[in-house]
Amino acid sequence: MNAPARKTMIAGNWKLNKTIREAIELVTLLKRRLCDVENTDVVVCPPYTAISDVGEILAESEIKLGGQDLYWEDKGAFTGEISGAMLKEAGANFVIVGHSERRQFFNETNETVNKKIKAALKNSLTPIVCIGETLEEREGGRTFQVIGAQFKGAFGNFSREEMKKVILAYEPVWAIGTGKVATPQQAQEVHAFIRKELWNAFGEAVASGLRILYGGSVKPGNISDLIKEVDIDGALVGGASLEADQFSELVKQAMVIAPLRGLE
Ligand code: PEP
């Protein structure tokens, strides 16, 4: 394997799980188990109610905090929404944008994803932008077409400087929460396609520096083979991020693979 040295990232998306008390319990365990993390970025994305408490516990730890979504306006009459500035003040440095569950259940479109990424950058949050095809699209031979359209819709009006601050997550919808993980080869094929799109739109420096995570039923048993692939720079993890043993094991395995990825 001849991977460029992009730092591996393992990010946990807790979704609609964990009360404040449960979130504190989980993050306290993670902080203890992952006190010696190196060569791997670790991020947890709790629900909004728990984000400040989790942030306080993580202060000065190696584990970073992220939101699960944001709205593009800074403030106003937008009941139920949360702004980038609010997330930032609560301690977040990252935010997930365009998760397939938001696209599927909450009418997220490429256009709203684009506005949200801009809002994240404006508030100095690193967006983790999710793209991925459904089973029907894959079986219809439209994977690259769909990924290409999501990519252009999200980043069509971006400058190189803006693009450098983004993290991408390839999350095939058919693999999220289903236990059906993409094979390392299937995932690598799409990651390579995305990197080629990056190269075409933003040039070599952006394409080779930008991290592309894989998401979809990542578990301790499959993470190593995925991140051994040259274009897979880590994982966005749902189910396995809700349990301290599994999530810390994922991070430990990423640390073992890091030297193979050129990270010393
Ligand atoms: C996700 O929600 O981003 C995800 C990848 O979920 P899971 O790991 O449970 O498939």
Side-chain angles (χ1 to χ4, degrees):
M1 189 177 55
N2 188 18
R6 290 182 294 267
K7 194 170 180 188
T8 319
M9 171 175 278
I10 304 293
N13 173 13
W14 295 3
K15 309 190 187 187
L16 180 55
N17 294 292
K18 307 291 175 190
T19 62
I20 296 174
R21 187 181 53 75
E22 291 165 344
I24 290 172
E25 262 171 41
L26 174 56
V27 82
T28 304
L29 283 173
L30 289 178
K31 190 176 164 184
R32 211 175 295 147
R33 289 186 197 176
L34 297 174
C35 59
D36 55 356
V37 177
E38 53 183 19
N39 291 331
T40 302
D41 284 333
V42 182
V43 181
V44 292
C45 303
Y48 301 134
T49 47
I51 201 160
S52 287
D53 291 280
V54 170
E56 265 174 44
I57 293 166
L58 292 180
E60 289 166 42
S61 94
E62 285 299 314
I63 306 173
K64 304 281 183 291
L65 188 65
Q68 296 180 15
D69 187 28
L70 82 169
Y71 195 58
W72 55 83
E73 297 289 351
D74 289 337
K75 59 177 155 182
F78 304 106
T79 303
E81 295 294 338
I82 189 163
S83 74
M86 289 169 185
L87 287 174
K88 188 79 193 171
E89 193 187 53
N93 286 306
F94 295 85
V95 61
I96 299 169
V97 181
H99 191 280
S100 64
E101 286 151 15
R102 305 254 11 129
R103 294 179 191 257
Q104 201 178 341
F105 304 126
F106 302 99
N107 302 322
E108 192 83 272
T109 63
N110 290 333
E111 191 189 353
T112 59
V113 168
N114 173 272
K115 289 192 204 177
K116 289 181 175 188
I117 307 167
K118 291 256 181 196
L121 294 177
K122 189 176 119 193
N123 287 288
S124 306
L125 293 164
T126 300
I128 302 174
V129 182
C130 304
I131 55 182
E133 81 287 2
T134 62
L135 187 59
E136 196 192 349
E137 288 161 346
R138 175 162 279 264
E139 289 179 346
R142 287 185 286 127
T143 298
F144 296 123
Q145 187 189 327
V146 170
I147 301 284
Q150 289 175 341
F151 179 87
K152 283 190 187 71
F155 305 114
N157 55 357
F158 271 56
S159 68
R160 275 189 193 156
E161 283 315 303
E162 286 175 313
M163 202 61 206
K164 272 188 202 158
K165 297 178 188 152
V166 169
I167 294 174
L168 274 162
Y170 167 55
E171 297 212 306
V173 180
W174 47 272
I176 296 180
T178 59
K180 265 191 223 160
V181 64
T183 64
Q185 295 71 29
Q186 279 175 320
Q188 166 59 28
E189 188 185 25
V190 179
H191 282 233
F193 171 79
I194 296 169
R195 213 173 288 290
K196 197 168 107 254
E197 294 284 288
L198 280 165
W199 186 307
N200 293 340
F202 300 101
E204 182 186 355
V206 173
S208 60
L210 194 144
R211 287 184 284 188
I212 309 173
L213 314 182
Y214 166 80
S217 299
V218 172
K219 301 273 180 292
N222 56 33
I223 181 76
S224 298
D225 286 340
L226 286 161
I227 58 175
K228 278 181 194 161
E229 295 292 335
V230 68
D231 288 302
I232 303 181
D233 305 314
L236 179 55
V237 185
S241 73
L242 297 175
E243 220 261 300
D245 282 347
Q246 288 205 39
F247 192 66
S248 39
E249 184 55 30
L250 283 173
V251 175
K252 286 186 176 151
Q253 295 204 25
M255 282 165 61
V256 170
I257 302 296
L260 296 179
R261 297 177 45 80
L263 301 155
E264 294 301 336

